[in-house]
Amino acid sequence: MSAVAEITATPVAPSWTQKLAELDRSQKIKLALGIALLVVVALAGTFMTRQADWKVLYANLSDKDGGAVVAQLAQMNVPYKYSEGGGAIMVPSDRVHDLRLRLASQGLPKGSVTGFELMEGNRFGVTQFQERLNFQRGLEGELTRSIQAVAAIQSARVHLALPNQNGFFREQLKPSASVLVTLYPGRILDRAQLAGIVHLVASSVPDMNPTAVSVIDDNGKLLSATPDSAGAGGDVQQLQYVQQIEQLYSKRIIDILEPVVGRQNVKAQVTAEIDFSQTESTSELHKPNQTPDSAAVRSQQVVESGGGSAATPPTGVPGATSNQPAAQANAPINGAAPTLSAGATGTGSSTPSKKESVTNYEVDKTVKVVKGGTGAVKRLSAAVVVNYQSGPEEKGKPVNKPLTPEQLEQMTALVRDTIGFSKERGDSVNLMNTPFMAMATDNTPVPLWKQPEMLELAKSFAWPVGMVLFGLIVLMGMVRPAVKAMNAPKVEPVVPAVAGTQLDAIESETPNRPDLLPAPAADNTPVPPTKEQLRLEDARQLAKQNPIAVANIIKTWVNGEAPA
């Protein structure tokens, strides 16, 4: 048996193009589709991670201001988009404040509401009527801006009626105003806010009465109260006042009984009858006549006229004695009449004196006006329910026991003092002791995967995790098999050495020997040749067909050169 040496050529590493060309058509399609899907997944992940958080730059802009802002954003190469419905312009959140400052420096948005800045651009030759009109428009704009500052109001319009005041008119017309407001969805204006808007407008215009201000919404509904609708508005306010009074008394009862019977063991309801009628009474009182010393003098008049003797011509001998006036007659009450002096005659007559005095005193008078207040409590009715109290345990279970009559009487007295019970007013208090029905509560803990926080967290990670899983499926199912097929080792053809007298050679110290022929079968059945026999037969055929090539191979082995 001659030794046979295998002749193998050193493989040359093929390029990627050669490996790709060796793949079949289905493998090439899978590889191309897998690479394309991986690229799409990578691009989508990059886009999602780099996607900016959008925030509102401006909302509720007019078409003119919105177009100007969008044009400026396009000029500044700033990405923008519109919110759903087109009500707002949105930009990346990290650039909102910067863009607002930059747009404000350029005067954007100008705003559809103009105030007193209209007065800054007056042209030469403006008439008095135009000045008054500009002032009215500016005042309307300022009031609109102030009203729009209310949180519930989305937009507003103010119309002022300012009559021209003239000193020649006997009756001057009073100014009036109308306000149209548009509210945000789901919001309303309470009475206090409406009153604030009305008084804001009335206080901004001279001589305007708050009753001359009308406020309506965008549905045409009158919101402000008028003298005709004062009763309807009062009914709503009265109902709110009654509810507040009832809640106040109920809270007082619960606060006084809860420390005694325990929390959630007492329920109370109070019904209040309130008197909202207004009464006014006027009384005038006069006291009896007082003494002159204590009475107050209002006015006093004194008329006094004096009496005397009638003048008579002088008689007698001219001289000093005759020229002297007659002496005053003094007639004593008791005694003789005085004698007349010389030259005096008794022919003169005397007249009596007169004195009149009129004194007017102040009349004592008291005028008393009493106006009764509204909201007086007419009657109170309180209903209180108290739960049974837990007693000592019996047979390992707690026992609820009713309150004793003494305890019920004490609690009833507490409730009466708490609400200010008045028997004359007709108040009533009813306290009942009964066991409360236990409310069935489901204390089963919510599973972790059903908790809202976990659901929100899962939603936030659903997209990136899904992208990663999809990429792995594409990579392992489509790309990896194709790459594995490209990198699979190729079996190079083996050139066997031909056993013969001239080409026998020893490849190594431990030459590979052909497999021994298997023992023939007992029934002389032909045995198929082994792999070594087939290789040996191929080497013989090669040596017969191309002995020169075999000789060159042997020569290279002898010289120690690597086979080509």
Side-chain angles (χ1 to χ4, degrees):
M1 183 69 63
S2 60
V4 179
E6 295 182 357
I7 303 173
T8 59
T10 303
V12 178
S15 61
W16 281 97
T17 55
Q18 295 178 354
K19 293 181 178 180
L20 186 61
E22 293 176 356
L23 297 177
D24 55 5
R25 184 176 181 181
S26 61
Q27 292 178 341
K28 290 180 180 179
I29 294 175
K30 290 182 179 179
L31 180 61
L33 185 59
I35 294 175
L37 291 177
L38 287 178
V39 171
V40 171
V41 170
L43 292 177
T46 304
F47 177 75
M48 292 297 296
T49 54
R50 294 185 179 182
Q51 187 178 8
D53 185 16
W54 297 89
K55 286 190 176 181
V56 177
L57 179 64
Y58 293 112
N60 301 322
L61 292 178
S62 61
D63 295 340
K64 183 177 180 181
D65 287 341
V69 170
V70 168
Q72 191 63 32
L73 291 177
Q75 186 177 359
M76 292 188 296
N77 295 325
V78 176
Y80 65 89
K81 68 177 183 179
Y82 301 101
S83 64
E84 185 176 357
I89 300 176
M90 306 182 69
V91 295
S93 58
D94 55 346
R95 304 190 62 180
V96 171
H97 301 289
D98 180 47
L99 291 175
R100 286 180 180 174
L101 294 176
R102 294 176 64 182
L103 292 175
S105 64
Q106 300 177 8
L108 293 176
K110 297 180 179 180
S112 58
V113 179
T114 56
F116 283 128
E117 59 267 16
L118 283 174
M119 309 298 294
E120 299 176 357
N122 288 337
R123 300 184 302 273
F124 180 76
V126 178
T127 63
Q128 184 179 3
F129 174 76
Q130 291 176 341
E131 287 184 352
R132 291 182 61 253
L133 185 60
N134 289 338
F135 173 77
Q136 180 175 345
R137 290 178 57 195
L139 184 58
E140 291 175 351
E142 294 295 333
L143 289 175
T144 300
R145 290 174 179 175
S146 301
I147 294 173
Q148 286 180 351
V150 180
I153 296 178
Q154 183 178 6
S155 61
R157 289 195 67 181
V158 179
H159 302 277
L160 298 178
L162 304 178
N164 188 13
Q165 302 296 335
N166 195 333
F168 297 100
F169 294 159
R170 179 174 299 177
E171 295 182 359
Q172 302 290 341
L173 298 177
K174 298 298 182 180
S176 60
S178 300
V179 181
L180 174 65
V181 295
T182 301
L183 305 179
Y184 285 104
R187 299 189 183 182
I188 60 173
L189 290 176
D190 55 15
R191 307 301 303 179
Q193 291 174 325
L194 285 174
I197 294 174
V198 170
H199 284 79
L200 171 67
V201 177
S203 302
S204 302
V205 181
D207 299 331
M208 179 178 286
N209 196 329
T211 57
V213 180
S214 301
V215 181
I216 63 174
D217 59 3
D218 52 353
N219 294 324
K221 179 182 178 181
L222 181 63
L223 302 179
S224 60
T226 59
D228 298 336
S229 62
D235 293 341
V236 177
Q237 295 180 357
Q238 292 172 7
L239 180 59
Q240 293 178 354
Y241 178 74
V242 172
Q243 292 177 352
Q244 292 176 359
I245 292 295
E246 293 176 349
Q247 292 175 2
L248 175 62
Y249 283 115
S250 300
K251 185 176 184 298
R252 286 182 178 180
I253 296 173
I254 294 176
D255 291 343
I256 197 66
L257 293 182
E258 271 191 349
V260 180
V261 299
R263 188 174 180 85
Q264 301 297 331
N265 286 327
V266 58
K267 301 295 181 181
Q269 292 292 334
V270 177
T271 303
E273 295 182 9
I274 308 298
D275 184 11
F276 292 100
S277 60
Q278 295 182 356
T279 59
E280 184 176 353
S281 62
T282 303
S283 62
E284 185 175 348
L285 303 177
H286 294 272
K287 293 182 179 180
N289 294 333
Q290 301 178 3
T291 61
D293 296 337
S294 61
V297 177
R298 182 177 183 181
S299 63
Q300 185 177 14
Q301 182 180 4
V302 179
V303 178
E304 185 177 358
S305 60
S309 59
T312 57
T315 59
V317 180
T321 303
S322 60
N323 290 335
Q324 292 180 356
Q328 183 72 26
N330 294 323
I333 298 176
N334 298 319
T339 59
L340 297 174
S341 59
T345 62
T347 59
S349 62
S350 61
T351 59
S353 61
K354 182 180 181 182
K355 183 177 181 180
E356 295 180 359
S357 176
V358 179
T359 303
N360 295 324
Y361 294 95
E362 289 288 350
V363 178
D364 191 9
K365 172 182 166 183
T366 302
V367 179
K368 186 177 182 181
V369 179
V370 179
K371 185 176 182 181
T374 61
V377 178
K378 294 176 59 178
R379 186 173 181 271
L380 290 177
S381 300
V384 184
V385 181
V386 180
N387 190 14
Y388 277 8
Q389 299 298 300
S390 59
E393 297 184 358
E394 295 181 0
K395 298 180 180 180
K397 295 182 179 180
V399 178
N400 295 331
K401 295 183 178 181
L403 298 175
T404 61
E406 293 78 8
Q407 292 176 334
L408 291 176
E409 184 63 28
Q410 293 176 357
M411 291 184 182
T412 304
L414 282 176
V415 174
R416 289 176 178 175
D417 294 339
T418 301
I419 66 174
F421 180 83
S422 175
K423 186 176 181 181
E424 294 78 8
R425 199 169 54 188
D427 296 348
S428 64
V429 174
N430 187 6
L431 192 145
M432 179 180 178
N433 182 217
T434 183
F436 287 1
M437 296 297 294
M439 301 297 294
T441 57
D442 187 9
N443 296 325
T444 304
V446 180
L448 183 63
W449 57 275
K450 286 187 177 181
Q451 295 180 1
E453 297 81 3
M454 296 303 298
L455 293 177
E456 293 295 333
L457 184 62
K459 290 180 180 179
S460 62
F461 283 100
W463 176 256
V465 172
M467 298 269 302
V468 172
L469 292 178
F470 180 73
L472 290 176
I473 292 173
V474 172
L475 181 63
M476 302 301 294
M478 301 180 69
V479 179
R480 185 173 178 273
V483 175
K484 188 176 181 181
M486 292 172 58
N487 295 328
K490 300 296 181 179
V491 179
E492 296 295 336
V494 178
V495 180
V498 180
T501 55
Q502 297 181 356
L503 297 178
D504 291 340
I506 299 175
E507 181 181 6
S508 62
E509 295 180 355
T510 57
N512 294 329
R513 294 179 174 83
D515 296 339
L516 298 176
L517 294 176
D523 54 357
N524 296 325
T525 303
V527 179
T530 61
K531 293 181 179 180
E532 293 297 332
Q533 292 177 349
L534 295 176
R535 293 172 59 188
L536 182 58
E537 185 63 28
D538 292 338
R540 290 173 180 172
Q541 294 295 332
L542 179 62
K544 293 179 180 179
Q545 296 174 1
N546 196 354
I548 300 176
V550 175
N552 290 333
I553 291 173
I554 298 301
K555 184 177 180 181
T556 55
W557 286 356
V558 173
N559 295 331
E561 298 176 359

